[in-house]
Each structure stands twice: as C-alpha cells, then as structure tokens.
Amino acid sequence: MTDPYAGSTPVEDITDEANSASARLDRQADAILRDAAQREGGARPLRRAIREDAGLARDWSRQKALGAREAVQAEPVQATLYALGLGVVIGLLIAR
C-alpha cells in the first residue's frame, strides 16, 4: 500500500529562510514586545491588570453585600427562614 501523503509537499516549497515574511513578522513582534516591556518596567502591566481586576472584584462584592444587607433588612423573617432552611440542607448533606 502506498502512503498518500508521501511527496505531497515538494521540497522546493519548504522554506527555512531567516528572511521569509513570517520570520520578519516574528522578529518585529518580538521587538515591539521587548520595547514595551522595557518602557513599562517588565512586569508592571501584569501587576496593574491584577490590581484593576482586584478593584473591580472588590467593588462587585461590596455591591452584592450591600444588596444582601438591604434584602435582609427589608424582610428579616423571610431571610431568617431561608438561612434556617439552607442550614438544614447543608447539615443533611454533611451528615451523609
């Protein structure tokens, strides 16, 4: 049986040149990233992104906590019954 892929790409079509368009684009992209890293001081963009995300998470959690607090204050009996029911369900699951 013959291999259907043998010889499907002529050797002349395979380029391993350092000056091909792909290689030039790779070098340009590496240079852009290297220059940006030097300007920003290395890991600063990552740290800045983490700080921004942490700030967004903090704001989101504060809004949700405020909403929960307001819901409990608006309906304290209902919130107490929900908490009691949830405690019973968790207790039953842990007991298994």
Side-chain angles (χ1 to χ4, degrees), residues 2-56:
T2 61
D3 186 9
Y5 298 108
S8 63
T9 304
V11 176
E12 299 85 34
D13 291 345
I14 300 174
T15 58
D16 194 23
E17 299 175 8
N19 291 328
S20 68
S22 177
R24 283 195 309 271
L25 287 175
D26 284 341
R27 285 193 302 272
Q28 288 173 351
D30 290 341
I32 290 169
L33 292 173
R34 190 172 40 253
D35 291 343
Q38 288 174 353
R39 274 183 274 142
E40 294 291 333
R44 273 187 81 176
L46 179 60
R47 289 183 182 161
R48 186 179 309 133
I50 290 173
R51 285 186 185 139
E52 290 172 358
D53 289 345
L56 291 173

